[in-house]
Amino acid sequence: MKLVQWTLFIDMLGYRDINGAINSEAKAKEFIAFMEENKAGLNFTNRTEVKKQYKKDKAFNLYEYYDVKHTFVSDSLIITFSPKEVRTLKEIKIKYMHSANALFIILMRLQAIIFNCFSQKGLFLRGGISTKYCYIKDEFAVGEGLISAYKAESSLAIYPRIAFSPEVLKDKQLKDSVTDLSKIMYGGNNIIKLDSDGVHYLDYLGYNLSTVDMNIPMVAELVAKNPHQYLLSVQHTKLFFEKHAKAVKDKLTELEARKTGLNDKKLERLQKVIDKFLWLKSYHNSSLSSHQNYSEYVIK
């Protein structure tokens, strides 16, 4: 039996503006170094030491069940967790619970890239998630899962969010397993969030907050075992929201300044871009609404 395959196609919003402003070798090298840093960060989460660590994990050895692959194509990142045939895997319930666990791992690994993009370059990610087949070798990626994830990114995501392709949530057992794991590990803070337009997306801000929420038993246990590590996590989360708020505010200020002298047609196009970041502002603020300790990071 195999677990569920996860395939993500992710774009960087604002990449074209930055790329179009590169007019010297120095600027080109600086931006390529930034992209190589993103690639290195993802490689770091998949390094040999991590694989050895998972091998010792009695609950879930990720690499026993998945080949983990990723590639960058220009401003696009493609990730696939390709399931292996595991003879000892015989229970459907365990299949879906492990598959849900893999989605949490994907989100955890994306955090560093998300942070690096908005804190360094004011870039935000928009993407799609599929459970269909994808194959990656070096810089090449093929398969219906790639197309499904790309369609979710291009037609469903719209805003700076990573949207689920419809086929993902048609699998009720998979959806329920993510919900159940959210209850067990994250106090009910589901990483799959339903937006007002009916699109489900990956809740990276909610996940970030849940990792330091002492109302969650797993977090409280960490505090008891290693209070120093918990304090470091709190500092990181505060920095994440501080930089996130600044990046969103700066982007909205920049876009508003572009309005001067534009005709109606160009203003209409610009407003569509502004709306994307107004959505992001709303997402940011709503994520903090029940966390009074982070009220200073609400975007005014």
Side-chain angles (χ1 to χ4, degrees):
M1 189 183 294
K2 293 182 179 182
L3 300 186
V4 172
Q5 180 156 5
W6 294 106
T7 299
L8 288 81
F9 177 89
I10 299 170
D11 261 348
M12 296 178 182
L13 287 177
Y15 175 87
R16 289 181 183 177
D17 288 340
I18 293 176
N19 201 15
I22 294 174
N23 55 12
S24 69
E25 186 175 341
K27 288 181 179 179
K29 286 182 176 179
E30 189 273 334
F31 189 71
I32 288 173
F34 161 74
M35 293 300 291
E36 286 179 337
E37 188 177 325
N38 287 323
K39 184 177 181 179
L42 203 52
N43 287 340
F44 188 74
T45 66
N46 207 34
R47 67 193 187 280
T48 302
E49 291 79 4
V50 171
K51 294 176 181 179
K52 288 179 179 178
Q53 208 169 19
Y54 268 108
K55 198 170 184 179
K56 297 175 184 177
D57 192 327
K58 295 179 181 179
F60 179 56
N61 176 5
L62 175 69
Y63 295 94
E64 179 184 358
Y65 295 93
Y66 283 107
D67 280 322
V68 179
K69 303 288 185 182
H70 63 267
T71 188
F72 282 86
V73 181
S74 187
D75 65 325
S76 299
L77 166 62
I78 302 160
I79 300 171
T80 194
F81 278 38
S82 181
K84 300 177 181 179
E85 184 68 46
V86 179
R87 292 181 181 178
T88 56
L89 180 63
K90 296 179 180 180
E91 292 186 38
I92 294 295
K93 185 177 180 180
I94 293 176
K95 165 187 173 175
Y96 279 106
M97 193 58 71
H98 282 344
S99 299
N101 199 358
L103 181 62
F104 278 87
I105 292 169
I106 289 168
L107 180 52
M108 178 181 68
R109 293 183 174 190
L110 282 175
Q111 293 289 317
I113 291 179
I114 292 170
F115 179 79
N116 198 46
C117 285
F118 70 67
S119 62
Q120 286 202 44
K121 298 293 182 182
L123 295 170
F124 292 91
L125 305 187
R126 184 178 68 192
I129 304 175
S130 172
T131 49
K132 292 182 178 179
Y133 178 79
C134 177
Y135 179 78
I136 292 176
K137 181 175 173 55
D138 300 324
E139 70 275 22
F140 299 103
V142 295
E144 61 177 347
L146 173 61
I147 301 305
S148 177
Y150 168 75
K151 285 181 178 178
E153 183 275 331
S154 58
S155 61
L156 288 178
I158 302 173
Y159 305 113
R161 59 188 178 184
I162 301 175
F164 286 86
S165 182
E167 90 268 356
V168 178
L169 301 176
K170 284 180 181 176
D171 189 332
K172 188 176 184 300
Q173 280 186 282
L174 181 59
K175 186 179 179 181
D176 289 347
S177 294
V178 174
T179 301
D180 290 343
L181 194 59
S182 297
K183 289 177 182 176
I184 296 168
M185 298 180 67
Y186 297 97
N189 296 315
N190 202 326
I191 60 170
I192 299 178
K193 192 165 186 174
L194 175 61
D195 212 342
S196 58
D197 60 358
V199 173
H200 291 83
Y201 65 99
L202 208 54
D203 184 11
Y204 70 92
L205 292 181
Y207 170 82
N208 206 303
L209 287 165
S210 71
T211 61
V212 293
D213 188 345
M214 286 186 63
N215 294 315
I216 298 173
M218 186 181 72
V219 177
E221 187 178 332
L222 170 64
V223 176
K225 287 182 178 179
N226 194 338
H228 178 67
Q229 181 60 47
Y230 173 73
L231 290 174
L232 288 176
S233 297
V234 170
Q235 290 174 9
H236 179 269
T237 298
K238 288 185 174 181
L239 180 64
F240 192 101
F241 276 88
E242 177 190 346
K243 296 287 188 180
H244 194 266
K246 183 180 184 305
V248 175
K249 285 192 290 186
D250 288 350
K251 192 66 182 180
L252 284 169
T253 300
E254 172 203 330
L255 292 170
E256 287 292 337
R258 291 188 196 177
K259 286 183 174 181
T260 306
L262 295 183
N263 59 37
D264 290 346
K265 191 172 183 179
K266 288 183 177 180
L267 273 174
E268 186 179 349
R269 284 203 298 266
L270 179 60
Q271 188 58 50
K272 288 181 180 179
V273 179
I274 292 172
D275 288 345
K276 297 180 192 302
F277 291 94
L278 288 174
W279 177 92
L280 189 56
K281 176 183 175 180
S282 176
Y283 170 45
H284 175 99
N285 287 346
S286 65
S287 297
L288 295 174
S289 61
S290 58
H291 295 266
Q292 294 183 352
N293 292 339
Y294 295 85
S295 59
E296 63 185 294
Y297 306 119
V298 170
I299 304 171
K300 307 297 184 183

